[in-house]
Amino acid sequence: MFDPIDIAITLGKILLVFMVIMTMAAYLVLAERKLLGYIQDRIGPNRVGPFGIWQPLADAIKLFTKEDFKPAGADKWLFYLAPAMAAIPAIMIFAVIPFGAPLTLFGRQVTMQVSDLNVGLLLFVAFSSIAVYGVALGGWASNSKYALLGSIRGLAQLISYEISMGLSLVPVVMLARSFQLSEIVGAQEGCWFIVYQPLAFIIFMISILAECKRVPFDIPEAEGEIVAGYHTEYSGMRFSLFFVGEYINIVVLGGLAATFFLGGWHGPFLPPVLWFFIKVLAVAFLFIWIRGTLPRMRYDQLMMFCWKVLTPLALLNILATAWFILLKG
Amino acid sequence: MSLQKGFMPKLIIDNIAVEVAEGVTVLEAAQSVGIHIPHFCWHPALGKAGACRVCAVKMVDGPVKGIQMSCMLPAQDGMVVSTTDQEAMAMRRQVIEWLMINHPHDCPVCDEGGECQLQDYTIAGGHGLRSYTGKKRTHINQYLGPHIEHEMNRCIQCYRCVRFYQEFAGGTDFGVMGSAGRIYYGRVEGGQLESPFSGNLVDICPTGVFTDKTARFRARYWDYDMAPSVCPHCSLGCNTVPAARYRELLKIVARRNDAVNGWFICDKGRFTNSVVNDPARPRYPLVDGRKVGWDEALDNLLLRIREFGAVHGPESLAIVGSSRLAMEAATLLYRLFAGIAAGSLCYFTLEEEADQARAAITHLNDATSASMGDVQEADLIALVDCDLLQDGPMMALAVRQAWRKGAKIFLVENDVAPEAQKGLPFEWQSVSLLSDIPIREARKPVIICGRGKGMQDVAPALTSGVKLAYLLGGPNAFGAALLSAGHGATTLAQAVASGKVKGILAVEVDIPPELLQGISFIAALDWRATAIVKAAHIVLPTTAWVEMDGTYINNEGRAQRFKKVMHPGLPIMGLDPAGHPPRRHETAPPGGEPRPAWQVVADIIERTGTERDVQPLSGQWQWLRHLDAESPGQRIWQNMKQVK
Amino acid sequence: MSVINDTKAIVIGMWTTWKHIFRRPVTLQYPEEKRIPYPRYRARIVLTRDPDGGERCVACYLCSAACPVDCISMQSAATEEGRRYALWFRINFSRCIFCGLCAEACPTMAIQMTPDFEICNRDIMNLVYEKEDLLIDGCGKSPEYNFYHHAGIGVTQRRGAGLEEKPPVDVRSLMP
Ligand code: SF4
Ligand code: SF4
Ligand code: SF4
Ligand code: SF4
């Protein structure tokens, strides 16, 4: 039943995916700093290696060698657990994302996906809910007012936008008639869902922007208001888990956006894996570009936008899609 | 407008209704409701002169109308006054500009800067640019002695200085001369000012003409360490504000207390700072001349006392306080005395001083004790054995104020040296006996008893209505006498005469060398480098009065609190040979070891093991703990039922 | 409609930042390339001298009073001729925020800011400048100003011989 080769291949894929995601996340940090620099007519990091390409390495060394600090009165175990809760679910989600067309190696069908679950989409929704705990526990366990404020904001924001995000995915499922991500990708072979579902795509993009707490929805960390929000009290590696977790999130959510709306790895001329990366990077670029442009929203605007605009729109969109499918038969 | 007695004119100032006593000026009426009208020449102690013209107000309605000088105008019924009227403000602004016509451009090098009335009003009036194009008149300054610096160019002709010096203080060697634009305030020839109150020129001049030469170019007002304090140089307890900077006592100015010193202090109180700053002051605990830490010194002291007790018996040790020891330490002395079972407890060294202080606490009570405020109001004053200018100069100034108002002054002939009466700022009649003075005819008679040897007993002269004032030996002589009586203490002279004293623990006391013969052990607590400190085997440095909080009870039985002004320590000036402060980080200032005497005494008591956590001012003295330094003080009789 | 307006605003914003991505950065690579600050740049503080070579500072304490971080301390004193000067004068540059309020407060133009901003140091005590480190041999800005010529109390000239002054009056004169 368990073919050792299958297990080896799966482990290999896990390792590969993990390495790629970590590297991408690290270089996304550099890319963001560079790009923000250019947007602001600066150069950005340029001292470590040519064009600063070793900057992520230098950052890592710095973060690893910093003091691991725990505030007095913090809840020790939760304080240590929270950063992991923030980063790990994000990586796990990648397990269900197909990042290339299935290959045939030595007569074996190898899917470019760690695990092709039939409820992949639900798994994604579930794991992104778990990520909320990182924010909540980090802020609560720190025993600091800013951290607590940040985590309260984060909780409200993440839970709210999860709803609009989930609702925006319902039409996708309806169109693909499956929760399995490989089938959703397969359903887009002819035409990307973005064409059928532009509104759902926009709602989804806005929601995932809020889900990864990025500008203009960065109120849980809002520097200048509440220092650094829920991770105010963290330093060194634990801080970097939060920090890198955010960029892993970008990669993962970029991958999901590609999977759900942008045709997954489908694309002409270029190899499928490359297409997938291009789409992920495009989404990441969009995120960074938005960060370089928009100011932070206010808390009340943020909540209002979610509950009074995005959620009703997503519901309407579901109704419209259902109607459309009914009509088409 | 009515002139009958008791009539209270009602007027309106800046829309506030004011009711004042007859004869009060508009300026004072305004002050009584918190409206400050600028003024230079008017002074609460000197009255009006109408010289500066800066107190202009607009009389909107009433018996007089138009722009008027508020310091010259008595308040009258129905007046409506505006201090903020455009016309009045313009007038005041112009006056300031006129006053500045000849004023030099030298605030940065003027010691008055920062505490200068002229500067304040010039800024308040908004005068910033000179529109007068003429040249400034200048003067040649005079040397006025080692205490006061003269810079006549800064004068604005307000006449305050002459009015104080001549009228208030009775000085004759300083005045105003010249005419027109040449008006000059000074002496006929340069030379030291003779009045023992000349230092008040520094306080009273609203500009920088007279500044304190002893603090010349040392610091600015905003940098001073200041706190309300009491003068320790005689028993009158004048209120002062010492100003210190960089651990150096720079100057002392008067603090108003109408019951005691009024607005002024004497030159002795003002210019005796150098003892506090003396680098040779006892700064470190010493055991046989060796610098040691506090713990070692105190342990050593206890050890020596025990050794001494083993050899001579503990009863041959005398604990000696003095009339300059603050109440805090003085009240602890008895507990120390009991704790180490010493033989004698003395609050006074010499019999004479003790006798006189004893007379004061016996004869004075709340009704008979005359404050200096009472002296100023007296209509007959008898001076018995007084050397006023030596033992209480401000009392002489108070007597002068009474004399100016027409009081008769009698001087009882005695064996106080006649030269002591030279320079008294009033006229008197000599009589040979106290009973020759027509005390019974006076309404408010006051007898002032000095420290002379032949002090007569004033008891026979005491009838109802006669008030008494004593000039005592030190700032806390009254308190020392109370404690001495309460604890049945003797004087050191007596104790030594009885022959049993072999060792002395001297707490802030000066002991004449003849009393030290045959003494085999001396420990001294003091902040002055006295002879006994030099002779002591163990020296424990204490803080000067400006370096601690404390209480003195002055000659009239008024307890007054003084506050810590500065930290003890060697002055920064001269600490480092490079001229600037040391470039080192230290947690404690060098020479900062001295501790308040009460604390040292408390430490010794704690080490004897008889008591722990010793606090000063307990028992019947508890009320002194809550004394407010900003208040005019409290007489003991109001707080202690039975003074023991 | 506000949706359209808002969308337009976002798009314009995004377009603006997009264009900036391709602009030339204004960055100067500091230790290799140096910018020459303007003469009125506010950096390291000096004490200047008057045109006659005397120390301008009269130790009036105004700069130390004006300083918001209390990094100036001094002790004033007088020379034999009665000229007020700073016996010592200390600026702690590790505290100074280079706000320039001291220079603005100075009535004698003594304390002035220079464009020399490169005073970093590894030992903080080296940033505590004494008077001899601060005093320069020149007038800096306002080269013609000499406070004592205007002060009106003599010191550098006979009394009454300064600018805008009459000679001392004769008090004993009876002329009207
Ligand atoms: S007297 Fe006052 S106004 Fe005149 S120079 Fe001195 S501080 Fe300035
Ligand atoms: S010397 Fe001072 S107090 Fe005397 S008149 Fe001039 S300004 Fe007034
Ligand atoms: S520049 Fe500002 S902070 Fe620096 S010394 Fe001057 S006043 Fe103080
Ligand atoms: S303000 Fe000018 S003159 Fe005054 S102390 Fe400072 S540097 Fe010297």
Side-chain angles (χ1 to χ4, degrees), chain C residues 45 67-69 71-72 91 96-102 113:
Chain C
I45 296 169
C67 179
V69 293
C71 67
I72 306 182
I91 299 184
C96 176
I97 55 170
F98 301 102
C99 62
L101 289 180
C102 51
M113 317 278 302

Side-chain angles (χ1 to χ4, degrees), chain B residues 129-315:
Chain B
L129 283 178
R130 188 176 167 81
S131 38
Y132 177 71
T133 51
K135 298 192 163 190
K136 298 179 179 181
R137 66 105 180 82
T138 58
H139 284 291
I140 298 292
N141 298 331
Q142 281 177 334
Y143 170 77
L144 295 179
H147 295 144
I148 294 181
E149 181 74 27
H150 195 213
E151 178 45 77
M152 254 315 283
N153 288 1
R154 296 182 188 134
C155 178
I156 56 165
Q157 294 86 33
C158 70
Y159 285 78
R160 268 192 188 183
C161 51
V162 250
R163 284 187 293 147
F164 170 78
Y165 200 91
Q166 296 190 345
E167 294 169 21
F168 198 92
T172 50
D173 58 320
F174 171 94
V176 53
M177 54 197 102
S179 65
R182 295 181 295 266
I183 292 273
Y184 189 86
Y185 300 81
R187 289 165 54 92
V188 176
E189 293 292 339
Q192 178 157 5
L193 288 168
E194 286 160 12
S195 167
F197 310 103
S198 62
N200 292 302
L201 293 179
V202 174
D203 289 0
I204 203 135
C205 176
T207 76
V209 176
F210 302 105
T211 48
D212 191 331
K213 205 182 241 178
T214 60
R216 183 158 164 82
F217 295 169
R218 298 306 306 278
R220 286 274 179 232
Y221 186 76
W222 54 77
D223 284 333
Y224 292 152
D225 301 326
M226 286 189 284
S229 190
V230 173
C231 178
H233 297 299
C234 80
S235 64
L236 299 180
C238 296
N239 291 197
T240 59
V241 182
R245 172 74 171 155
Y246 290 145
R247 299 199 292 269
E248 194 168 356
L249 182 59
L250 294 180
K251 64 178 189 176
I252 294 175
V253 299
R255 180 161 63 94
R256 180 183 180 184
N257 184 340
D258 288 337
V260 184
N261 53 318
W263 289 81
F264 307 106
I265 55 173
C266 74
D267 287 3
K268 184 162 66 161
R270 187 183 296 267
F271 296 119
T272 318
N273 300 338
S274 49
V275 272
V276 177
N277 304 327
D278 188 359
R281 237 178 82 176
R283 302 258 179 201
Y284 310 92
L286 300 176
V287 172
D288 297 324
R290 186 168 50 87
K291 271 189 207 175
V292 295
W294 271 104
D295 281 334
E296 192 183 342
L298 290 169
D299 288 342
N300 229 304
L301 176 67
L302 263 288
L303 193 69
R304 296 279 179 101
I305 289 177
R306 265 183 219 124
E307 279 172 13
F308 174 84
V311 177
H312 301 282
E315 67 286 350

Side-chain angles (χ1 to χ4, degrees), chain B residues 396-413:
Chain B
L397 203 57
V399 174
R400 176 175 165 85
Q401 303 322 309
W403 175 75
R404 282 175 70 201
K405 289 181 208 150
K408 291 204 179 60
I409 318 290
F410 294 93
L411 195 107
V412 183
E413 297 275 352

Side-chain angles (χ1 to χ4, degrees), chain B residues 27-105:
Chain B
L27 186 134
E28 288 164 289
Q31 269 179 354
S32 72
V33 289
I35 301 171
H36 181 81
I37 301 179
H39 55 266
F40 289 116
C41 65
W42 183 84
H43 185 282
L46 307 177
K48 54 197 173 189
C52 73
R53 319 308 285 174
V54 87
C55 63
V57 293
K58 173 87 169 270
M59 310 302 290
V60 185
D61 203 357
V64 266
K65 290 240 178 75
I67 295 287
Q68 293 288 336
M69 295 305 128
S70 60
C71 76
M72 300 298 287
L73 194 66
Q76 291 164 29
D77 225 18
M79 280 181 162
V80 178
V81 186
S82 168
T83 65
T84 52
D85 184 86
Q86 285 304 317
E87 214 180 322
M89 302 230 292
M91 167 83 175
R92 294 204 293 264
R93 244 200 315 274
Q94 275 157 19
V95 169
I96 294 283
E97 197 167 345
W98 299 332
L99 292 176
M100 294 303 289
I101 278 182
N102 285 320
H103 198 83
H105 182 68

